[in-house]
């Protein structure tokens, strides 16, 4: 692989993607923009594929993403090797990049990170993303591991089942009286204001289609709050109804600040841990802590 893909060309492609332009990559690599352009062209000729879209900023093509992912994995292996040989900088920590969905981040994932041994020293870099899109960050090589809803392994990655996160349809008592008391649930809930995390959040629509036997979705009045804690607080404040993680809903149900709209219709979202297939002690330690914490916290 190293013979077929010269490392200087691979690293140059990564620099262009990370820096966004050929000129910026040249400055980062301390070479001329012409040298950067020549290396990228040589790599494209060697692979027989267009690797970059010459936009501003540049973007990797599908083939380019594969090479970029290889470059990031190569950089990780090099850092791990230097660390094991005692060649890393004084006190320099090992960086572990992970994509994780907001609800996991707000409920159980941070507890997993506290279980990871800090010798050698680790530095966590978390990317918050919807569980349906975290695999994209893996595919692009932006992270080493991800909590995802996809059981299909990204190329070059392994996958483990973590368990399921249970969601409950909930609203404040006042909201239920105002919006849901004048008809059957499947009709009133479809008209009521609804909370969403962002425009890609379809949990409320999935719940409504189940309630209405596959037809329709949630209402057209949609409030978007892009934090897990803010989402739950907005539901409790009566701004709209929403699918709340059970672990976050339970104390509010006990205190009477929330009511469960359909106790017999929970929504379970399966979660998986995907990571690069690398012999990285740091990544292995994080994976062990995540799977152990998930086994205690999520539904099996």
């Amino acid at each position: 692989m190293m013979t077929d893909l010269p490392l200087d060309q691979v690293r140059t492609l990564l620099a262009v993607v990370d820096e966004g332009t050929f000129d910026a990559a040249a400055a980062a690599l301390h070479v001329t923009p012409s040298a950067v352009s020549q290396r990228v062209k040589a790599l494209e000729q060697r692979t027989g594929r267009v690797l970059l879209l010459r936009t501003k900023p540049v973007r990797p093509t599908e083939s380019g993403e594969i090479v970029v992912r290889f470059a990031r994995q190569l950089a990780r292996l090099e850092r791990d090797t230097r660390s094991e040989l005692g060649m890393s900088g004084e006190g320099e920590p090992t960086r572990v990049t992970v994509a994780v969905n907001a609800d996991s981040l707000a409920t159980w994932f941070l507890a997993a990170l506290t279980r990871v041994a800090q010798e050698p020293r680790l530095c966590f870099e978390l990317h918050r993303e919807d569980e349906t899109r975290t695999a994209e960050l893996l595919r692009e090589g932006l992270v080493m591991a991800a909590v995802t809803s996809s059981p299909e392994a990204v190329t070059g990655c392994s996958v483990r089942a973590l368990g399921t996160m249970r969601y409950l349809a909930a609203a404040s008592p006042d909201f239920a009286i105002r919006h849901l008391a004048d008809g059957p649930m499947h009709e009133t809930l479809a008209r009521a204001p609804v909370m969403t995390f962002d425009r890609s959040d379809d949990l409320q629509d999935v719940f409504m289609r189940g309630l209405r036997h596959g037809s329709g979705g949630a209402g057209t009045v949609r409030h978007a709050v892009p934090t897990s804690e803010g989402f739950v607080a907005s539901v409790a404040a009566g701004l709209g109804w929403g699918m709340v993680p059970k672990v976050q809903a339970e104390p509010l149900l006990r205190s009477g600040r929330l009511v469960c709209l359909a106790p017999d219709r929970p929504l379970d979202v399966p979660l998986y841990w995907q990571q690069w297939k690398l012999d990285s002690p740091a990544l292995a330690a994080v994976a062990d802590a995540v799977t152990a914490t998930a086994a205690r916290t999520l539904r099996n």
Side-chain angles (χ1 to χ4, degrees), residues 146-257:
V147 175
T148 174
S149 61
S150 174
E152 298 180 6
V154 171
T155 303
C157 295
S158 60
V159 58
R160 303 190 217 177
L162 293 176
T164 60
M165 178 169 282
R166 172 155 287 187
Y167 289 81
L168 303 176
S172 71
D174 288 344
F175 181 93
I177 293 172
R178 288 198 317 272
H179 295 280
L180 309 177
D182 60 349
M185 176 76 70
H186 67 276
E187 293 180 1
T188 57
L189 201 60
R191 299 191 299 266
V194 61
M195 299 304 306
T196 62
F197 187 82
D198 56 25
R199 291 187 179 182
S200 68
D201 177 13
D202 67 347
L203 281 185
Q204 288 67 221
D205 295 303
V206 171
F207 174 79
M208 283 303 304
R209 286 193 290 269
L211 194 64
R212 304 184 72 179
H213 306 291
S215 64
T220 56
V221 178
R222 297 179 176 230
H223 306 296
V225 179
T227 68
S228 184
E229 297 85 352
F231 180 97
V232 176
S234 298
V235 174
L239 196 57
W241 72 274
M243 303 303 297
V244 179
K246 182 180 178 183
V247 66
Q248 290 176 299
E250 284 179 332
L252 297 174
L253 293 170
R254 287 194 296 268
S255 68
R257 293 185 61 199

Side-chain angles (χ1 to χ4, degrees), residues 53-300:
L53 298 176
R54 270 67 169 178
T55 55
K56 287 190 177 181
V58 300
R59 291 186 294 115
T61 63
E62 187 174 343
S63 296
E65 288 178 354
I66 295 173
V67 180
V68 167
R69 185 169 65 243
F70 166 67
R72 294 194 194 282
Q73 292 173 344
L74 184 67
R76 167 54 53 195
L77 285 173
E78 183 176 10
R79 285 194 292 270
D80 285 352
T81 300
R82 290 175 61 86
S83 178
E84 290 181 31
L85 292 174
M87 296 172 61
S88 57
E90 183 71 24
E92 181 182 344
T94 299
R95 185 174 298 275
V96 179
T97 54
V98 182
V100 59
N101 61 307
D103 290 337
S104 291
L105 191 59
T107 54
W108 64 273
F109 192 79
L110 293 180
L113 297 187
T114 65
R115 294 171 54 90
V116 181
Q118 287 295 308
E119 186 59 44
R121 295 173 62 202
L122 300 182
C123 180
F124 301 118
E125 181 180 307
L126 303 183
H127 296 248
R128 190 191 66 189
E129 188 56 89
D130 185 83
E131 65 271 13
T132 62
R133 300 204 303 266
T134 50
E136 288 299 318
L137 301 187
L138 262 181
R139 190 170 292 109
E140 295 168 7
L142 296 176
V143 297
M144 304 164 63
V147 175
T148 174
S149 61
S150 174
E152 298 180 6
V154 171
T155 303
C157 295
S158 60
V159 58
R160 303 190 217 177
L162 293 176
T164 60
M165 178 169 282
R166 172 155 287 187
Y167 289 81
L168 303 176
S172 71
D174 288 344
F175 181 93
I177 293 172
R178 288 198 317 272
H179 295 280
L180 309 177
D182 60 349
M185 176 76 70
H186 67 276
E187 293 180 1
T188 57
L189 201 60
R191 299 191 299 266
V194 61
M195 299 304 306
T196 62
F197 187 82
D198 56 25
R199 291 187 179 182
S200 68
D201 177 13
D202 67 347
L203 281 185
Q204 288 67 221
D205 295 303
V206 171
F207 174 79
M208 283 303 304
R209 286 193 290 269
L211 194 64
R212 304 184 72 179
H213 306 291
S215 64
T220 56
V221 178
R222 297 179 176 230
H223 306 296
V225 179
T227 68
S228 184
E229 297 85 352
F231 180 97
V232 176
S234 298
V235 174
L239 196 57
W241 72 274
M243 303 303 297
V244 179
K246 182 180 178 183
V247 66
Q248 290 176 299
E250 284 179 332
L252 297 174
L253 293 170
R254 287 194 296 268
S255 68
R257 293 185 61 199
L258 285 182
V259 292
C260 187
L261 303 180
D264 60 336
R265 286 184 173 272
L267 184 61
D268 290 336
V269 176
L271 296 177
Y272 301 87
W273 174 256
Q274 294 205 37
Q275 68 177 62
W276 288 350
K277 289 181 180 177
L278 288 182
D279 185 15
S280 168
L283 188 54
V286 173
D288 289 343
V290 167
T291 53
T293 304
R296 295 197 315 273
T297 308
L298 302 178
R299 298 176 61 84
N300 295 316

